[in-house]
Amino acid sequence: MTQKETVYVVSDSVGETAELMVKAVASQFFGQEVQIKHFSYVEDKQDINNVITVSKYSHSIIAYTIVLQDLKQYLDDRAEEEGILAVDLMYPLMDAFTQKFNMQPNREPGQMRKLDENYFKRVEAIEFAVKYDDGQEVRGLKQADIVLIGVSRTSKTPLSMYLANKQFKVANVPLIPEIPPPEELFKIPRKKCIGLIISPEKLNDIRRERLKSLGLTNSANYASLDRIFEELTCAENIMKKIGCPIIDVSNKAIEETADIILAMFNKRGSFA
């Protein structure tokens, strides 16, 4: 039976990075079955002493990712005293960054975990924006950080996705004269709601281009100025009834509108 060698993975965070690196190296030694044992969230010298105690009698290697300088130095010193091979998996690359970019590392444990959390928050927000796009599932309005309302072609969907990439949960609701707005729209805090308006001429141009891209004629009611005036009047009446802020997006890029919204919400502390 092949003997399993042991590698102690030591980290002041979860230790995922160290484990992946150990597995990558171990895979190159086909005759060796490596047993990985974890010491995660190491935060003081006693934790280091515990690692040294269990590893010095087991013919093992310590592979570590410790960014706190005092703990790293203590582990190096104790390992040398006991004749244990301890490998700092981060130091060579961290030292290269320091030399190349003339910067010092933060030396804060758990930074990768924070990056992962940000990534998953962004994914969650994007999924939310897709699920609650264009008035779908109105129950999501209560869960949203931001609710966008406006007539068709006022950039509600692309604006929702842009804000979702900044980790905000955004729902949007189209305002159509023939369809009463959902009751939930009047029950959410009005500070979460943003009305989007646009000039009739600009909207007419946008809708005409939209019809052209679909192979339809410009005579469709969707792009007529009479219909557009009716929709905009209805939408503005609903926005006034809600009492929400209104942004004219006629000549604004998505990024510009998003900046206005975020500045507005941050000023009022709605994201606290």
Side-chain angles (χ1 to χ4, degrees), residues 14-130:
V14 179
E16 295 163 317
T17 304
E19 180 178 0
L20 288 172
M21 292 179 71
V22 169
K23 285 181 176 179
V25 173
S27 69
Q28 301 299 314
F29 296 84
F30 301 107
Q32 299 282 351
E33 288 189 44
V34 174
Q35 182 177 19
I36 297 175
K37 294 188 177 181
H38 289 270
F39 279 83
S40 301
Y41 299 107
V42 169
E43 57 184 22
D44 55 35
K45 292 181 178 179
Q46 185 55 53
D47 290 335
I48 299 295
N49 288 333
N50 292 341
V51 176
I52 296 296
T53 298
V54 298
S55 61
K56 70 178 181 179
Y57 297 113
S58 59
H59 188 61
S60 60
I61 295 173
I62 295 175
Y64 69 88
T65 53
I66 294 179
V67 297
L68 297 174
Q69 187 60 37
D70 290 346
L71 279 184
K72 166 188 160 43
Q73 191 59 54
Y74 186 74
L75 175 53
D76 286 340
D77 293 343
R78 290 287 289 114
E80 186 176 0
E81 289 173 8
E82 299 295 341
I84 300 168
L85 180 58
V87 182
D88 184 344
L89 299 178
M90 295 183 70
Y91 177 78
L93 189 55
M94 193 176 289
D95 185 54
F97 269 59
T98 299
Q99 292 183 40
K100 181 65 176 177
F101 304 122
N102 195 28
M103 297 173 65
Q104 293 299 318
N106 293 329
R107 296 197 178 278
E108 294 179 12
Q111 292 301 299
M112 278 294 294
R113 174 62 59 179
K114 291 179 183 177
L115 291 174
D116 288 345
E117 287 175 0
N118 288 335
Y119 169 77
F120 287 118
K121 283 181 181 178
R122 185 164 63 252
V123 170
E124 183 182 4
I126 291 171
E127 291 175 346
F128 185 94
V130 171

Side-chain angles (χ1 to χ4, degrees), residues 213-249:
S213 71
L214 295 174
L216 302 174
T217 66
N218 289 332
S219 60
N221 190 43
Y222 177 72
S224 74
L225 276 173
D226 286 343
R227 173 62 182 182
I228 286 171
F229 277 117
E230 180 187 4
E231 288 187 36
L232 290 174
T233 299
C234 175
E236 288 190 48
N237 287 337
I238 292 171
M239 294 172 193
K240 289 175 182 176
K241 184 177 179 180
I242 294 171
C244 65
I246 299 174
I247 300 174
D248 188 338
V249 301

Side-chain angles (χ1 to χ4, degrees), residues 160-172:
S160 295
M161 297 306 297
Y162 183 89
L163 291 167
N165 271 283
K166 293 184 177 294
Q167 302 177 26
F168 296 109
K169 294 181 179 179
V170 186
N172 73 77

